[in-house]
Amino acid sequence: MTAKLNRPQSIKLYKDMVTIRAFEEEVRKMFSAGLAPGLVHLYSGQEAVGVGTCATLDKDDYIASHHRGHGHCIAKGSDITRLFAEIIGRRPGYSLGRGGSMHIHDPETGNLGTNGIVGGSVPLATGAALSAKLRGTGQVAISFFGDGVLNQGILFESLNMAALWSLPVVFVCENNGYGEFTEIDDVTAGRPYTKRGAAFDIPADKYDGMDVLVVYDAVSKAVERARKGKGPSFLIFDTYRYSGHSVGDKQEYKDEKERQLWEARDPIQKMAKLMVKMKLATKNDLKKMDEEINSTVVAAAKVAKKMPVPGADDLARHVYAP
Amino acid sequence: MPPDSSANIQSDRNITLKAAVLEAMFEEMKCDENVVLIGEDVGAAGGVFKQTEGLFETFGADRVIDTPISESAIFGLSVGAAMAGSRPIVEVMFGDFLTLVMDQLVNQAAKVHYMSAGGFNVPLVLRTGIGIGGSLGPQHSQSLHSWLAHIPGLKVVMPSSAADAKGLFKAAVRDNNPVIFMEDRMTYNLKEHVPTGEKIIPLASAAVKRKGVEVTIFAISRAVHTALAAAEILLEEKNISTEVVDLRTLAPLDVETIVSSVRKTGRAIVLDGGYKSFGITGEIAATIGELVFDYLDAPVMRLAAPDIPVPYSPSLESLMVPSVDQVVAKVSTMFGDSV
Amino acid sequence: MTNSLNIEQNLAILDRMLLIRRFEEMLIDLDQDHDFGHYHLYIGEEATGATVVESLIPTDLLLTTWRNHGHLLARGTNPGRMVAEILGRVDGYNKGRGGTLHLTDREAGFLSTSGLVGGAVGLAAGAGFALKQAGEGNICVVFFGDGSLEEGVVFEAMNLASLWSLPVLFMCENNNSGAISAQEGGFPSSEIAASQISDIPKSLNIKSKLVDGADVAAVHAVVTEAVSNIRSGNGPVFIEAYSERWPGSRPLWPEQATGVTQLEAAWDQTVITGEHADWVRKFDPIIRFIRSQLEAGLFSKDELFDRDRKIQNQVIEARAFGEASALPDPQSALDGVFAA
């Protein structure tokens, strides 16, 4: 059931995941160096979901993200220097440096934004899908959300309307097992979680979120369904975040053994192994790619660090649209 | 957008506020296919107060969308749709239910344009009915405009009569920001001459509804009518010349008109249908004090609903709305009367 | 369906249903004279409310919606004070402050009635939480309509109730059937994508049952079992009790669509006339109950008329009490904004 991808496609998937991993590592360093004020939530470990999903989309398809959204932004094609800039509050960032990690919007890539409110972006994606349907453009929307949102009333309301009106939205749940410091199984009634979507007669299924090809396959089918006017899908991807909820979280609530089990399923290593096996790349090719990407990312971070902060004049801009 | 092509201007067009807003909706939906109407019972039923009658039949289910009872997601969905190119008009049945949309309104709609540094607009109109009367009880009678005017990024518009309502509604639909358009149910059936044609009234513009020189009553929505009635009595019985300013938009506030009037009259009283404390009356009083203190001959006064949940019983409910008599009495005290 | 109710219980249920019916009919008339704003009638749904309370004990708690008269009367709330409240008078349960939308009787165990769809359900999870903490075996019943399942807060409340095994009985009174479409001038109920409403609570691992809300014996059987389960600490239960909406409740404002109820309709078809004869014949829960209980010999026709007469007099007295009560003193308006 692995998707049939050619060499360029496979390489893109691999590279995007590696980029995200490298990017988040830089962000972590920036945070530790006191350059990223506030809070940052890292995506390391979950790359397969963001990358596998966005690879199925066109540039003008929509995504709506959340607080752990850097990976989504990168996978959807945002410029990494500007992403760094935004995260460390510099003016060339996507929000003039006034939004930070949780408020990155990129209209050119259909990115409705990362979001600071759990579940807050779910109706935004649903509404974008409604708009696309009304305008007859064939665009689809992806609503990324975490397992914590499975208990949010607004998810429930959005699922109902998406189903009622056959909206072209794909609900992608990244279940990394934790809502901040709490194990999700402890606070969520009802098993399996897919029933929450199935209750509204929405096709719902659960997948291995550590395998980028599995993700690509599942989301492609859902996106196709949506584009054909067949309505929403509800997909749950089991995945894992290597980092804490936010950087600085000591993760005392996590089990060391559990971590090791998940690391053994690392999505980047898995893809690397497969590419070598399928002769899409040699180990050396991959090593070279890794090094190049690392340099690019580190260089971008360096550029961003030199960028200016927004001035007092930037404070009141864009409160209202003209 | 092409100007209205109906060359036959009827000279006598006295229509209700409700009908005027409906006309505005028809016109805006006709000239921009991105404008859609979303809400509970707004389509096939024509609205619980028949305020959207006929739209569904004219524009169809693709543009007039009946929803389940899911205020949070309905509004959130509208924000997302607006970000993606639609121009929704969202009806929230009762202003009290704004509590259910607060997160999407305050944390999403109000801030998207700012947070995206101009990348995304949220061009939508949230339309809702407010106001005390008819014994609808504490959960169906509130006017929460002060909460909303307090939030940067939102615009709050409250017309008092039909012509203003039509012109302001058209402006609201064309505005590229989230605009909350609130009508007091008690003004729905008030008739006024409403001109045809594209008479758009810009937001953030107050209007002097009655000229006077000795005191200004600043009012909004239903209270404007109370102010006008009080002004008549003040002139006839107390020989006090009263100016009445209809604020029309709360956010952004037309500070220029406010201070001009105070410079002229030297006395001000603010009238509001919402709860008194921590509301717009305080905002306007403070603004006047800061900007034109030297022109004041008396402290700025305020009259609004008492800080009490709106009771159901008619005898108590009527105490919640500032009356014409109360306004007359209060204004009189500003001239040395001990009423 | 075997009737697990004894004679006393059946008679009690009959009396409750008759009281509710006569009370609601009186209100339509009262509204002509007093015009007390928008209100909602429980006609057509009496069998559910009247029977549910049979399985409760005095210390159980209840929550309901704006369609609350039936629940209150079933629980023994004083009809005179109810009329007073509906008219906004000082002797009303809320001292005239709530009206029909917020009628509450604390002594009968009602916490609140919500004017907002789904509002009471959120509160019910909380009541369940408190009851569980208290550990005295009491439960909370929350009545709500099918439309409530569109509100996110209901989902959140059910999730918590399930997660924490809260002693809550979710009574969903689905009167969507028989509602007429908006194009026909009606106000239809729910717009839910689920093909079965119970799929929603089931997805949260809540035991769910479906029952004909107009069938007294069936309702009793299902509710008794559910209540027993909940009291044993096995967590919440969701019951969907469906009924065919009374024609008078179809338009926005209640209308006397089927005429003042004639109990003879249970055995004399000729008295059933008019546009909605079908509803009376097939769906009126009181007529159904009388029909079956006459057969079972629970009462004679004379006894039936006797009970009805007494109840009608009770309702007349209640109306008089309410109308005689004074409007609240304006000075009292400021009282009670804050607790002491």
Side-chain angles (χ1 to χ4, degrees), chain A residues 21-96:
Chain A
R21 184 71 58 93
F23 184 93
E24 297 292 66
E25 182 53 30
E26 282 304 303
V27 170
R28 197 188 55 74
K29 287 187 190 143
M30 283 165 159
F31 183 85
S32 305
L35 289 169
L39 300 164
V40 285
H41 309 81
L42 302 181
Y43 200 61
S44 327
Q46 300 186 206
E47 296 88 350
V49 185
V51 170
T53 300
C54 292
T56 69
L57 305 175
D58 296 331
K59 190 168 184 208
D60 67 348
D61 286 323
Y62 299 105
I63 63 166
S65 174
H66 48 67
H67 55 282
R68 197 177 305 282
H70 306 158
H72 303 145
C73 297
I74 293 169
K76 195 63 168 66
S78 288
D79 175 85
I80 58 171
T81 310
R82 288 191 70 197
L83 286 174
F84 275 132
E86 187 54 45
I87 291 165
I88 58 174
R90 305 301 170 93
R91 199 174 189 280
Y94 278 99
S95 303
L96 282 175

Side-chain angles (χ1 to χ4, degrees), chain C residues 250-273:
Chain C
R250 286 180 192 159
L252 180 58
W253 231 268
E255 280 173 9
Q256 188 32 294
T258 49
V260 171
T261 307
Q262 294 174 270
L263 304 183
E264 308 88 281
W267 60 84
D268 180 0
Q269 298 271 342
T270 63
V271 311
I272 309 177
T273 57

Side-chain angles (χ1 to χ4, degrees), chain B residues 69 71 97 100, chain C residues 66 114-120 147-149 151 153-154:
Chain B
I69 312 169
E71 286 79 5
F97 305 166
L100 292 164
Chain C
W66 52 90
S114 176
L116 273 87
V117 176
S148 291
L149 286 164
E151 283 286 10
V153 68
V154 170

Side-chain angles (χ1 to χ4, degrees), chain B residues 253-319:
Chain B
L253 202 58
D254 179 0
V255 176
E256 198 37 58
T257 303
I258 293 172
V259 301
S260 293
S261 183
V262 175
R263 280 194 200 104
K264 187 168 68 160
T265 66
R267 287 182 177 81
I269 173 169
V270 192
L271 204 53
D272 180 29
Y275 303 122
K276 184 174 176 190
S277 297
F278 299 94
I280 63 152
T281 56
E283 173 65 29
I284 292 165
T287 303
I288 292 171
E290 278 169 349
L291 297 177
V292 283
F293 178 73
D294 290 335
Y295 290 84
L296 287 174
D297 293 328
V300 180
M301 306 300 262
R302 309 183 285 161
L303 256 185
D307 301 323
I308 301 169
V310 181
Y312 163 85
S313 180
S315 64
L316 297 181
E317 188 191 57
S318 55
L319 298 176

Side-chain angles (χ1 to χ4, degrees), chain A residues 95 98 131 134-135 315 321, chain B residues 62 84 86 108 114-115 154 177:
Chain A
S95 303
R98 304 172 318 171
S131 176
L134 295 176
R135 288 177 288 116
L315 179 64
Chain B
D62 273 355
S86 298
Q108 311 295 342
Y114 187 83
M115 292 192 293
L154 297 180
N177 295 284

